[in-house]
Amino acid sequence: MNHPKPLYSSRLVFGFGVIFLFLVLGQWVSRFFHLPISGSVIGMVLLAVTLGCRILPISLVEEASQLLLQHLSLFFVPAGVGLLSYWAMLKNNWIPITLAILLGTIITLLGTAGIHLVLLRTKWNRKSNNVESTQ
Amino acid sequence: MDNLILLASTILVYALAQTGQSKLNRKTRLKKISFLFHPVLVSVVVIMLMLVLTHTPYESYAEGTEGLTFLLAPSVVALGVPLYKEWKKLSAELGKILVTVTFGSLVGILSSILPVLLWGSPLEVVASLAPRSVTTPIAMNIAHATGGVPSLTAAVVVTTGIFGAVAGPVVLSILDKIETSTFGLAMGVASHGIGTARALEIGEREGAYSALGLCLNGVFTSILVPVLYRFSIFH
């Protein structure tokens, strides 16, 4: 990710406002239609669609988004530490649960990647078949 | 007052873990195992030890670090920006992405419930594990609707995320010549937000695919788990 030039511009503050606005919008949509999807995920889609429709210029939210996403992992640490309080619950069934998590995650990773690789190799939509590999 | 020390130490431990990992990455000999020292994993283990050794109840810790947890929801919204930036590329491949995530979501559910079913665990455990691969709030909703224990689901979801973020890139490196899109989708589908954070560390495009994987997997899993439940696959 490349850094935008002025780090503390008013756009940064504005961007935070917009992001929180979309979070609220997402929560409203989720509640109003009784969707099982959380407000933040709906907010993400709404933000992308609004940017895509050119209702909102990307320059307004880019800095705030970058600032939040650069250290996204940090925000998950308290949730991870929270496992401490769940230990009593996991204790009874920890062997099958650990197996399900470890095996399940590996199988899901390889299954998802596998089918996508197969689909990429079949010429389904011919135009967008440009191959690009991670370094 | 005390609680703020917990917030400060969380941020500092994370920052140290991050510096430590990038130092390891520069050492050629240790490069292979540096993935094990992912900052989230290291911070979680170190802070757990700190809390246990100082007899600090988890409640005080949760209170002190509320601010960090609070930033999770707006960060998920912020994923809309990379999603928009890569949209041209994503929309051209949308058909393949949809098929991939539908399949991945089904694999995710079945691979979570089969081990516990075969083990003969109680059904509430099975229902708690079924939505394991999606973000915590969505997973808890699904577990609640299908007779699972939402807090058990939360624990399993977080463990899945951390494991996927740490092991994902290594597991996926088994497949040779993997595309940016494949990598991102697999990370997002298998390990939701924490996997997406990891994908973003590798690149913005990886992050965008992962965000889309996370989002679509959330939708498909919330449809598939209740359907499988109704057809009494796991009860």
Side-chain angles (χ1 to χ4, degrees):
Chain A
M1 265 186 246
N2 44 340
H3 293 269
K5 282 126 254 154
L7 194 54
Y8 297 108
S9 65
S10 57
R11 272 189 292 178
L12 185 65
V13 183
F14 211 102
F16 272 110
V18 171
I19 286 172
F20 277 107
L21 183 70
F22 275 86
L23 177 59
V24 173
L25 280 176
Q27 283 170 348
W28 279 347
V29 171
S30 171
R31 221 170 296 153
F32 188 78
F33 295 102
H34 298 285
L35 299 175
I37 310 295
S38 46
S40 54
V41 175
I42 296 175
M44 156 170 98
V45 175
L46 288 178
L47 178 62
V49 170
T50 312
L51 289 169
C53 297
R54 317 260 165 215
I55 300 170
L56 201 72
I58 182 152
S59 56
L60 218 56
V61 281
E62 201 171 15
E63 289 173 23
S65 156
Q66 263 179 3
L67 193 62
L68 282 171
L69 295 181
Q70 245 161 19
H71 300 287
L72 180 55
S73 292
L74 170 63
F75 308 149
F76 285 106
V77 172
V81 176
L83 290 174
L84 205 58
S85 65
Y86 291 130
W87 176 241
M89 205 187 321
L90 291 169
K91 211 162 51 183
N92 300 324
N93 288 286
W94 74 273
I95 300 172
I97 291 177
T98 312
L99 273 176
I101 293 173
L102 301 188
L103 286 178
T105 307
I106 293 172
I107 294 171
T108 313
L109 278 162
L110 292 177
T112 310
I115 185 130
H116 193 241
L117 285 176
V118 170
L119 287 174
L120 284 178
R121 268 156 215 182
T122 53
K123 293 211 165 169
W124 180 9
N125 41 351
R126 268 158 240 137
K127 267 182 265 169
S128 63
N129 211 23
N130 41 352
V131 174
E132 203 180 307
S133 57
T134 32
Q135 316 81 343
Chain B
M1 189 57 177
D2 264 352
N3 292 355
L4 266 183
I5 289 175
L6 298 168
L7 173 66
S9 40
T10 301
I11 298 172
L12 286 174
V13 165
Y14 178 82
L16 280 173
Q18 210 174 32
T19 327
Q21 197 194 27
S22 47
K23 282 235 171 85
L24 275 183
N25 267 329
R26 262 177 263 137
K27 295 215 167 72
T28 35
R29 232 164 10 114
L30 299 170
K31 217 175 166 180
K32 276 214 172 103
I33 55 150
S34 75
F35 78 93
L36 284 172
F37 297 92
H38 187 271
V40 175
L41 183 62
V42 174
S43 317
V44 166
V45 172
V46 169
I47 292 162
M48 275 181 172
L49 281 175
M50 264 173 51
L51 294 183
V52 171
L53 291 177
T54 57
H55 301 287
T56 310
Y58 172 70
E59 287 70 32
S60 327
Y61 179 76
E63 222 171 89
T65 51
E66 232 170 24
L68 286 179
T69 310
F70 172 74
L71 287 172
L72 265 179
S75 300
V76 172
V77 175
L79 284 169
V81 172
L83 200 60
Y84 157 74
K85 280 195 190 161
E86 303 297 329
W87 186 246
K88 222 176 234 164
K89 207 165 176 318
L90 292 171
S91 59
E93 307 165 11
L94 201 58
K96 288 176 182 183
I97 292 174
L98 285 171
V99 176
T100 302
V101 181
T102 314
F103 181 78
S105 149
L106 199 61
V107 170
I109 299 164
L110 295 178
S111 66
S112 321
I113 60 178
L114 279 178
V116 273
L117 268 182
L118 292 174
W119 193 272
S121 299
L123 291 166
E124 54 173 17
V125 173
V126 181
S128 305
L129 260 83
R132 188 183 52 85
S133 306
V134 298
T135 59
T136 313
I138 301 181
M140 287 172 85
N141 274 342
I142 301 172
H144 182 73
T146 53
V149 185
S151 50
L152 176 57
T153 301
V156 170
V157 168
V158 172
T159 317
T160 296
I162 295 177
F163 177 67
V166 172
V170 180
V171 169
L172 290 172
S173 67
I174 294 170
L175 307 162
D176 51 18
K177 274 205 84 183
I178 189 167
E179 325 269 318
T180 311
S181 52
T182 312
F183 178 84
L185 283 174
M187 290 297 281
V189 169
S191 50
H192 54 92
I194 312 180
T196 302
R198 182 79 188 86
L200 271 170
E201 285 161 20
I202 292 166
E204 198 176 39
R205 179 160 285 169
E206 281 87 347
Y209 276 99
S210 188
L212 191 60
L214 168 160
C215 167
L216 292 173
N217 192 27
V219 176
F220 293 145
T221 305
S222 354
I223 298 167
L224 285 171
V225 172
V227 168
L228 289 174
Y229 177 75
R230 200 151 297 169
F231 288 104
S232 63
I233 302 242
F234 53 91
H235 74 111

